[in-house]
Amino acid sequence: YAEDVTDWEAFCADRIVVSPGIMPTQPVFDFARTHAIPLCGELEIGYALNDKPVIAVTGTNGKTTVTELIGQILKCAGYTPAVCGNIGESFARIACCGKYDYAVVEASSFQLATTIDFRPHVAVLTNISSDHLDWHGSMCAYAHAKLRIAAQQTEEDFFILSQDDIAIEHLKGFAPRAQVFYTSLHGAVRGAYVYGKKIYYGSEAVCDVDRVRMEGVHNLANALSAVCAAKSLGIPDAAIVSALTEFQPDAHRMHLVARHNGKSYYDDSKGTNIMASVRAAQSMTGSTCMLVGGSDKGYEYDELFRLLPACVVRIAAVGETAEKVMQAGKRNGFAAIAQFDDFAAAFRWANDGTEENVLLSPASASFDMFSSYVARGEAFERLVSDACEK
């Protein structure tokens, strides 16, 4: 840390590279500004080493799915993609080997906040909603970090964003130089959209909606982002359709774990923010008890209760943010909430109800009780397995 450096003259660096986990309030940021040393993240190193076209994807929700789906489309088209960044291996590590045709990079808001020259040929912004306010300090700063994905693009590049899921207030003052295309589930736009029972790109029907293997309206929106990116690159429809008909998101993303004694169990541990959990809840059919809570990301949960569908009739509030969830429920007239410090106890309470579904979609990070959302999802699935064996 900068506060540990006592001999400023002896400290010589052309650039400081910070991990995305380093908060911008740490002294190293002030030190870099004070001594005019460029500070960047790993994306910049990867970009400097890279010599292939870059497709970068960001957004509050869906960015991992869209990144992986674009990679699958490129494979179906006969290319070798490197799917990297905030998923899998780092962009810098991948760029060192160079054995790929396209770099498909998932970019988090943490990573984008420290970019300087990073310029993807195709940039995708899936959506923007409240998240990571503890790190960025405000919704404005968070949205600004997301928009940095297109900051260095030129007229030769493509910027794809959702017309449905990005509030106009988040785009205030932003004037991208790239060619801008849109996605929408609600009719024709300049880009990829759903009309009737088909996915279109411009005036061209690309694929029937029912060919998309991924379930849920949110995943149809993800598919549109991937289609728009692929068409920007000139990928043939046959490869796009092939990928859409076979691709499934990773585990712990709105996954049916089991059905037992008339009850269905869904693992959406990756639902680490409010809108992700709202979309998960909206995909439920039948009465639902929902497990909500985890480590604190700096926001309140009122929006969750305002947007929850009527099918969610009980909530088990668990973890570090359980009290926040309880208070937000009270403020919004949702009384059927119980608070737990123990994850297994929260599951047992949820499972003992008469609801048709038990849904884990915490609207929170996992780091209060678990090492990752994957560990949390695995714990949930073990509890489901034990319950089904009784």
Side-chain angles (χ1 to χ4, degrees):
Y1 291 100
E3 61 190 9
D4 298 324
V5 179
T6 55
D7 186 354
W8 303 119
E9 296 300 324
F11 188 90
C12 181
D14 296 320
R15 179 165 295 196
I16 297 174
V17 182
V18 295
S19 162
I22 303 297
M23 296 281 285
T25 53
Q26 290 290 344
V28 66
F29 285 84
D30 286 335
F31 173 67
R33 283 190 290 269
T34 301
H35 296 276
I37 301 173
L39 181 148
C40 69
E42 177 271 329
L43 282 185
E44 281 296 310
I45 306 303
Y47 184 71
L49 295 169
N50 173 72
D51 62 355
K52 303 296 195 311
V54 177
I55 303 104
V57 183
T58 197
T60 305
N61 298 305
K63 56 184 176 294
T64 299
T65 297
V66 173
T67 301
E68 292 180 332
L69 179 52
I70 292 171
Q72 186 64 32
I73 292 171
L74 290 168
K75 285 181 182 177
C76 289
Y79 295 104
T80 300
V83 178
C84 58
N86 196 48
I87 176 177
E89 292 192 87
S90 71
F91 184 21
R93 183 180 292 275
I94 289 291
C96 285
C97 75
K99 296 178 181 178
Y100 54 89
D101 299 312
Y102 289 92
V104 189
V105 182
E106 179 184 325
S108 72
S109 60
F110 304 156
Q111 293 170 314
L112 289 168
T114 54
T115 53
I116 301 170
D117 299 318
F118 181 64
R119 174 195 161 193
H121 178 51
V122 178
V124 180
L125 178 55
T126 59
N127 46 63
I128 298 177
S129 60
S130 296
D131 205 359
H132 302 303
L133 301 190
D134 56 331
W135 198 95
H136 293 282
S138 69
M139 191 63 202
C140 180
Y142 173 64
H144 178 75
K146 288 294 188 187
L147 291 170
R148 287 189 63 80
I149 196 170
Q152 300 302 321
Q153 287 188 301
T154 72
E155 294 83 358
E156 299 175 357
D157 303 315
F158 301 91
F159 181 36
I160 297 160
L161 64 161
S162 168
Q163 182 167 282
D164 303 338
D165 298 314
I166 302 174
I168 192 68
E169 66 197 62
H170 299 325
L171 301 174
K172 186 177 180 180
F174 183 66
R177 289 174 292 165
Q179 301 174 59
V180 179
F181 291 83
Y182 298 90
T183 62
S184 178
L185 295 169
H186 306 299
V189 293
R190 183 177 185 255
Y193 57 94
V194 172
Y195 183 78
K197 296 182 179 181
K198 292 183 181 293
I199 292 174
Y200 283 82
Y201 180 79
S203 60
E204 171 195 359
V206 176
C207 180
D208 292 337
V209 167
D210 61 12
R211 296 291 300 277
V212 179
R213 186 179 177 189
M214 299 184 296
E215 297 182 359
V217 173
H218 63 296
N219 274 325
L220 184 55
N222 291 335
L224 292 178
S225 294
V227 167
C228 201
K231 295 297 287 184
S232 298
L233 295 168
I235 303 299
D237 288 356
I240 296 172
V241 174
S242 178
L244 291 176
T245 55
E246 64 186 44
F247 179 81
Q248 279 280 64
D250 286 347
H252 314 299
R253 291 174 175 83
M254 205 52 212
H255 166 61
L256 174 63
V257 179
R259 288 193 175 98
H260 182 68
N261 289 341
K263 194 184 292 286
S264 298
Y265 301 87
Y266 291 90
D267 175 4
D268 186 48
S269 183
K270 185 61 168 67
T272 58
N273 58 69
I274 287 171
M275 285 311 301
S277 294
V278 167
R279 290 190 177 101
Q282 289 173 342
S283 71
M284 290 291 96
T285 301
S287 58
T288 301
C289 183
M290 190 170 172
L291 279 75
V292 176
S295 54
D296 200 339
K297 299 171 87 173
Y299 49 70
E300 302 298 328
Y301 290 82
D302 297 82
E303 186 179 20
L304 175 70
F305 288 97
R306 287 196 294 267
L307 298 176
L308 276 180
C311 67
V312 177
V313 295
R314 288 195 306 146
I315 284 180
V318 63
E320 182 179 280
T321 60
E323 180 62 27
K324 272 191 168 186
V325 174
M326 287 283 292
Q327 294 304 319
K330 290 179 181 178
R331 288 194 296 269
N332 290 274
F334 194 106
I337 309 177
Q339 185 173 343
F340 300 90
D341 295 325
D342 180 74
F343 189 76
F347 173 82
R348 288 193 295 271
W349 182 81
N351 192 45
D352 286 343
T354 60
E355 293 82 16
E356 298 165 73
N357 307 301
V358 174
L359 168 64
L360 169 65
S361 190
S364 313
S366 59
F367 304 120
D368 56 336
M369 293 180 170
F370 302 96
S371 60
S372 67
Y373 75 85
V374 173
R376 178 170 59 190
E378 289 173 346
F380 176 77
E381 295 192 9
R382 285 193 297 272
L383 290 167
V384 171
S385 179
D386 291 345
C388 291
E389 289 176 0
K390 293 180 180 179

